[in-house]
Amino acid sequence: MTPTPAALRTIGAIPVRNIWLLMLYASRLYRELPSRLRYGVEENPDLIPDLVAEILTGAVERRIRRNLTLEFHRRRADLTRVRGRIDALRTERRSLLRQGRIACSFEELTTDTPRNRLVKAALNKLCGSVREEPLRRRCRSLAAALDRAGVGDETSAGIRSRSLRGALAAGRANAEDRQMLAAAELAFRLSLPTEDPGRTRLPAPGRDETWARRLFEAAVGGFYRTVLGPRGWSVNPGQWIEWPIDTKTSGIDAIMPGMQTDIVLERPPADEHGHGHRTVIDTKFTSILKPGRHRSLTLDSGHIFQMYAYLRSQEHDNDPGSLNSSGLLLHPSVGEDVDESAVIQGHRIRFATVDLAADSTAIRARLIALADETAASRL
């Protein structure tokens, strides 16, 4: 599917081109994938069967809990009692009355519908494509559950593709079936969801600002674990750090706020004689600049104080990396890109943005450059 350009979407004031990309970066599945699946497709380097399998299995599980859609299907059978219409010619030709039976044609509710067969075929297809074994087991288990429910096999890819497009375009499926069928088409096409217009529809994820803030933090952490981990970097998301308290009163522990960094990167030394570098990253899902009292735009002083506390409170003589560690305050771009830095009492603090309205290639390149450049800067 080649998406057409869409109007710019925002979460609050933050432009976000494709929130599915952030969900992918935040997922555990992303870092498990081989690089050939992450980078191998020019138009969208994040086409991966594992993410599609996650979407499809979730949709199928929800549909099974609410019962699969039934359809009437015309069936012919030789029965011991009359049901529906009698097929007199078949009854006479096969002398069924002498056997105590009668040929009938009737309508029967069944789960063996074209759309359920398509979903089962999609699950079976993904069984041979996904890398993560637990996810592969989920696909096999759900395909077996559909089989036990009486869903047959779909063998024709051409019929399958036309049936999917027809059911989705004509709106013949209810909302839950549309989600399941859309995920099935993703499985056949192995394409990453986007928020641009296309032939396939999926319910859009929520755009709540609190949820998006957490998603942005998890996406940056997940991306760095995936990309920098194989290069020998240590990536620690959500790390709690202690205040360097010398003495304290009995009740201070109950009221003293804790400190938790979003992401801490440790770049390994280039050789046995070199030194690594520590970067503390604090993600904020807000504009990096805000109106000031004495100037039109200014950095948020609270964010600076927070980063300053992260860096200075962790200084220890027996930990060389703590003495010149860097801080990176990372925000999404709002209107313009910002990339400035200042050295404050031995620690470089960088204030930078990443444009979430850009395509995935540009976002990836920006995140990698921020990590490399911040770690390479020496005081």
Side-chain angles (χ1 to χ4, degrees):
M1 173 171 58
T2 303
T4 58
L8 196 62
R9 299 170 178 84
T10 61
I11 301 178
I14 308 300
V16 178
R17 176 175 179 171
N18 186 15
I19 202 168
W20 291 98
L21 183 66
L22 297 183
M23 294 170 68
L24 171 61
Y25 286 163
S27 71
R28 179 172 52 88
L29 300 172
Y30 182 67
R31 66 179 182 269
E32 298 292 336
L33 294 173
S35 59
R36 63 181 177 81
L37 292 179
R38 293 198 302 272
Y39 305 111
V41 182
E42 281 187 21
E43 293 184 359
N44 192 336
D46 301 302
L47 300 177
I48 53 169
D50 292 67
L51 178 66
V52 174
E54 185 73 24
I55 296 169
L56 177 60
T57 54
V60 175
E61 286 167 348
R62 288 190 296 274
R63 200 67 194 96
I64 288 178
R65 285 197 298 269
R66 293 170 173 82
N67 295 322
L68 294 169
T69 298
L70 302 173
E71 291 182 6
F72 281 103
H73 173 70
R74 178 162 291 278
R75 181 184 168 197
R76 291 178 173 83
D78 301 335
L79 306 176
T80 57
R81 59 184 179 84
V82 175
R83 183 177 178 183
R85 299 178 60 182
I86 297 174
D87 187 341
L89 181 60
R90 177 184 172 87
T91 301
E92 180 63 26
R93 180 179 296 169
R94 300 204 172 191
S95 303
L96 295 178
L97 289 177
R98 296 178 185 177
Q99 306 169 33
R101 294 184 296 161
I102 189 167
C104 298
S105 173
F106 53 92
E107 297 285 338
E108 183 180 57
L109 274 174
T110 179
T111 59
D112 189 20
T113 66
R115 66 187 62 172
N116 289 338
R117 289 197 296 270
L118 296 173
V119 171
K120 179 181 171 184
L123 289 167
N124 285 325
K125 180 180 188 298
L126 287 170
C127 284
S129 303
V130 298
R131 174 183 173 87
E132 190 177 74
E133 180 57 31
L135 191 55
R136 192 180 300 122
R137 286 198 299 268
R138 280 176 68 189
C139 291
R140 283 197 296 262
S141 175
L142 288 169
L146 293 179
D147 190 68
R148 291 192 298 271
V151 179
D153 296 325
E154 173 59 72
T155 57
S156 171
I159 294 175
R160 177 170 62 226
S161 178
R162 290 193 297 271
S163 298
L164 274 170
R165 288 198 298 269
L168 290 167
R172 292 195 297 269
N174 60 33
E176 291 180 336
D177 272 357
R178 279 199 301 273
Q179 182 180 23
M180 188 170 64
L181 289 170
E185 183 168 14
L186 292 175
F188 292 128
R189 301 174 67 87
L190 286 182
S191 55
L192 178 72
T194 75
E195 296 185 89
D196 294 325
R199 290 191 299 267
T200 303
R201 295 183 180 274
L202 274 176
R207 303 183 80 84
D208 175 74
E209 289 185 56
T210 301
W211 174 78
R213 172 176 55 79
R214 294 171 181 164
L215 176 63
F216 180 53
E217 175 188 336
V220 174
F223 177 83
Y224 281 139
R225 281 197 304 269
T226 303
V227 174
L228 300 182
R231 292 167 51 184
W233 292 54
S234 172
V235 181
N236 298 299
Q239 188 173 17
W240 286 96
I241 57 180
E242 301 291 335
W243 291 98
I245 297 174
D246 295 325
T247 61
K248 59 182 178 180
T249 58
S250 60
I252 192 64
D253 287 340
I255 59 175
M256 189 72 174
M259 288 191 294
Q260 185 180 24
T261 59
D262 288 353
I263 307 155
V264 177
L265 305 181
E266 297 271 1
R267 190 195 66 176
D271 54 55
E272 64 273 16
H273 305 294
H275 298 283
H277 189 82
R278 181 175 304 159
T279 303
V280 178
I281 301 176
D282 199 25
T283 58
K284 303 292 184 185
F285 201 75
T286 60
S287 174
I288 196 168
L289 300 175
K290 67 175 188 177
R293 280 189 177 183
H294 307 295
R295 62 187 75 179
S296 58
L297 293 174
T298 181
L299 295 165
D300 190 309
S301 60
H303 296 167
I304 300 175
F305 296 153
Q306 184 180 29
M307 179 59 73
Y308 179 82
Y310 287 163
L311 298 173
R312 292 302 307 276
S313 69
Q314 300 306 296
E315 291 180 347
H316 300 287
D317 291 337
N318 60 352
D319 180 9
S322 69
L323 301 178
N324 67 345
S325 56
S326 298
L328 171 60
L329 280 162
L330 181 61
H331 294 243
S333 299
V334 180
E336 61 179 344
D337 289 323
V338 174
D339 194 350
E340 305 292 345
S341 66
V343 177
I344 302 175
Q345 293 186 312
H347 297 276
R348 184 180 301 277
I349 301 180
R350 188 174 182 180
F351 309 90
T353 57
V354 56
D355 185 6
L356 299 183
D359 60 33
S360 58
T361 302
I363 293 174
R364 174 185 291 107
R366 175 63 169 163
L367 291 175
I368 293 174
L370 285 171
D372 283 337
E373 293 166 5
T374 304
S377 61
R378 307 299 298 176
L379 301 181

